[in-house]
């Protein structure tokens, strides 16, 4: 299992237990750990590289850099103001390959006030992520904080007409109904219905506009899309999440490649953020060296305190919003990915396929042509914005 998907499983399971929505970015976590690796040496660096499956920090930076287009992203290591950053650390971070857009910000800072750290993230994400760290997140003996956050909100390539948005019941995992607005767009869609052993589910693919750095339509821009996984059964979410994290190619393998008529086609509007203690998850999954007194962060500071230095807090916050927003209707044929069909062949019918996401479902936001997973998420209650 991919190391970052292991963290997704840890966080997703916790969210399901707590009956909460969940969104996680493997790429954001990888970028944060790549930033940490800049200041590590010895066994700590070796454990980081092994955990991330990278040969060296250059390979780690290159793997992260290709994923950052068109995203509001921030990651930073903040060090207590009494410590001095090494000149080579200051000059090598942020790594140049990672700074591909003004909205990206990776930084090492000597200031260590909660307000200043939150202001860094807020500025880097154009105000989309605020108050990443609460007042109680930093304690008196805290010396290093690694924080990263990401917000994704793009414009649909195919418009959801606001006049078609209607209220509908959504049934939470506990069976409790909530009355929420549903986007509606019956017609031809990229969609499939699968009969997998022990799990039946449908997948709907919705494209985002392909825009360049200037915000204009660009056919050469990254092809982002949302894949919505809807289990046939009301309690099928856990099995879908398990497949998504244990089979790294599962999400892209299930991406619909042909259009068919979908009627009705309804997806709830939702907007929420999700924050969790990534450091605790990483420790549980075997990456412990950076979070202990044995950590070697000697590449970061020249004034190492007598008690040593280690990462004492690591959080990730992601936010997502799905609404009708669109300005132009586009039709685009997706490239075919030469990948096998998942177990349980797609079931096709001459009758329109129904897709009504009125119970817990999973979704992924991917860069389709490179088969890169940016976000993995599930929705248990679309009325809850926490």
């Amino acid at each position: 299992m991919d190391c970052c998907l292991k963290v997704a499983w840890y966080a997703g399971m916790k969210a399901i237990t707590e009956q909460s929505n969940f969104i996680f970015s493997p790429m954001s976590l990888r970028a944060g750990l790549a930033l940490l690796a800049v200041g590590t040496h010895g066994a700590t660096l070796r454990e980081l590289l092994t955990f991330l499956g990278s040969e060296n920090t250059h390979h780690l930076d290159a793997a992260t850099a290709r994923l950052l287009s068109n995203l509001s992203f921030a990651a930073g290591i903040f060090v207590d103001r009494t410590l001095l950053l090494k000149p080579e650390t200051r000059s090598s971070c942020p790594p140049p390959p990672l700074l591909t857009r003004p909205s990206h910000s990776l930084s090492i800072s000597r200031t260590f006030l909660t307000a200043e750290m939150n202001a860094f993230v807020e500025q880097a994400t154009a105000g989309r992520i605020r108050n990443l760290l609460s007042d109680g997140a930093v304690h008196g003996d805290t010396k290093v904080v690694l924080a990263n956050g990401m917000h994704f909100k793009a414009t649909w390539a195919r418009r959801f007409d606001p006049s078609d948005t209607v209220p509908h019941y959504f049934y939470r995992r506990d069976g409790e109904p909530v009355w929420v607005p549903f986007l509606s767009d019956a017609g031809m869609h990229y969609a499939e219905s699968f009969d997998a052993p022990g799990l039946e589910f449908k997948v709907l693919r919705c494209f985002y506009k392909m825009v360049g750095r200037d915000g204009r339509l660009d056919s050469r821009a990254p092809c982002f899309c949302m894949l919505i996984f809807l289990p046939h059964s009301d309690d099928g979410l856990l099995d879908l999440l398990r497949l998504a994290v244990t089979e790294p190619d599962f999400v892209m393998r299930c991406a619909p490649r042909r259009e068919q008529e979908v009627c009705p086609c309804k997806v709830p509007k939702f907007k929420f953020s999700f924050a969790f203690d990534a450091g605790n998850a990483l420790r549980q999954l075997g990456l412990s060296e950076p979070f202990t007194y044995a950590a070697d962060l000697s590449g970061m500071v020249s004034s190492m305190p007598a008690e040593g230095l280690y990462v004492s807090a690591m959080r990730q916050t992601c936010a997502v919003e799905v609404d009708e927003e669109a300005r132009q209707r586009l039709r685009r044929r997706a490239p075919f990915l030469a990948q096998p069909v998942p177990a349980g062949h797609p079931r096709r019918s001459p009758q329109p396929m129904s897709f009504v996401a009125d119970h817990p479902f999973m979704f992924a936001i991917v860069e389709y042509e490179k088969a890169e997973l940016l976000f993995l998420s599930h929705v248990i209650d679309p009325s809850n914005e926490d």
Side-chain angles (χ1 to χ4, degrees), residues 119-196:
F120 160 75
V121 174
E122 182 175 345
Q123 180 181 15
T125 60
R128 296 183 179 96
I129 296 178
R130 301 179 180 181
N131 301 320
L132 178 67
L133 295 173
S134 63
D135 290 337
V138 177
H139 304 286
D141 59 351
T142 300
K143 299 297 181 182
V144 177
V145 172
L146 188 156
N148 70 86
M150 181 181 300
H151 183 282
F152 184 92
K153 186 177 186 296
T155 303
W156 296 119
R158 174 169 176 165
R159 177 182 175 82
F160 284 97
D161 191 330
S163 65
D164 291 332
T165 299
V166 294
H168 195 282
Y169 277 118
F170 182 97
Y171 297 90
R172 304 188 316 184
R173 194 165 181 264
D174 59 6
E176 186 73 20
V178 291
W179 190 245
V180 295
F182 272 67
L183 307 174
S184 180
D185 184 21
M188 298 299 291
H189 289 275
Y190 285 89
E192 299 279 10
S193 183
F194 293 98
D195 294 315

Side-chain angles (χ1 to χ4, degrees), residues 71-94:
L71 296 172
S72 293
F73 174 82
I77 296 176
F78 299 88
V79 185
D80 186 276
R81 63 176 67 251
T82 62
L83 304 177
L84 295 176
L85 290 172
K86 284 189 174 181
E88 57 269 29
T89 301
R90 186 182 294 275
S91 63
S92 64
C93 190

Side-chain angles (χ1 to χ4, degrees), residues 199-273:
L199 176 64
E200 295 181 323
F201 61 98
K202 300 174 183 178
V203 184
L204 178 71
R205 179 153 60 99
C206 301
F207 285 107
Y208 293 104
K209 277 187 179 180
M210 297 175 68
V211 296
R213 297 184 182 182
D214 58 0
R216 298 180 179 179
L217 295 177
D218 185 351
S219 61
R220 298 167 297 178
C223 179
F224 293 111
C225 63
M226 176 181 285
L227 301 172
I228 303 172
F229 291 74
L230 178 65
H232 288 7
S233 65
D234 293 346
D235 61 352
L237 176 61
L238 184 60
D239 290 327
L240 275 176
L241 182 63
R242 181 182 295 111
L243 286 171
V245 300
T246 58
E247 301 181 19
D249 63 342
F250 173 78
V251 168
M252 294 306 303
R253 205 169 70 224
C254 295
R257 295 165 176 80
R258 288 169 289 187
E259 288 182 303
Q260 63 174 304
E261 186 176 359
V262 181
C263 184
C265 180
K266 297 181 184 294
V267 178
K269 292 176 62 172
F270 55 87
K271 175 184 177 182
F272 64 85
S273 62

Side-chain angles (χ1 to χ4, degrees), residues 89-110:
T89 301
R90 186 182 294 275
S91 63
S92 64
C93 190
L98 293 178
L99 290 179
T100 58
R101 286 176 57 83
S103 61
H104 303 157
S105 184
L106 291 93
S107 173
I108 288 183
S109 170
R110 286 184 56 203

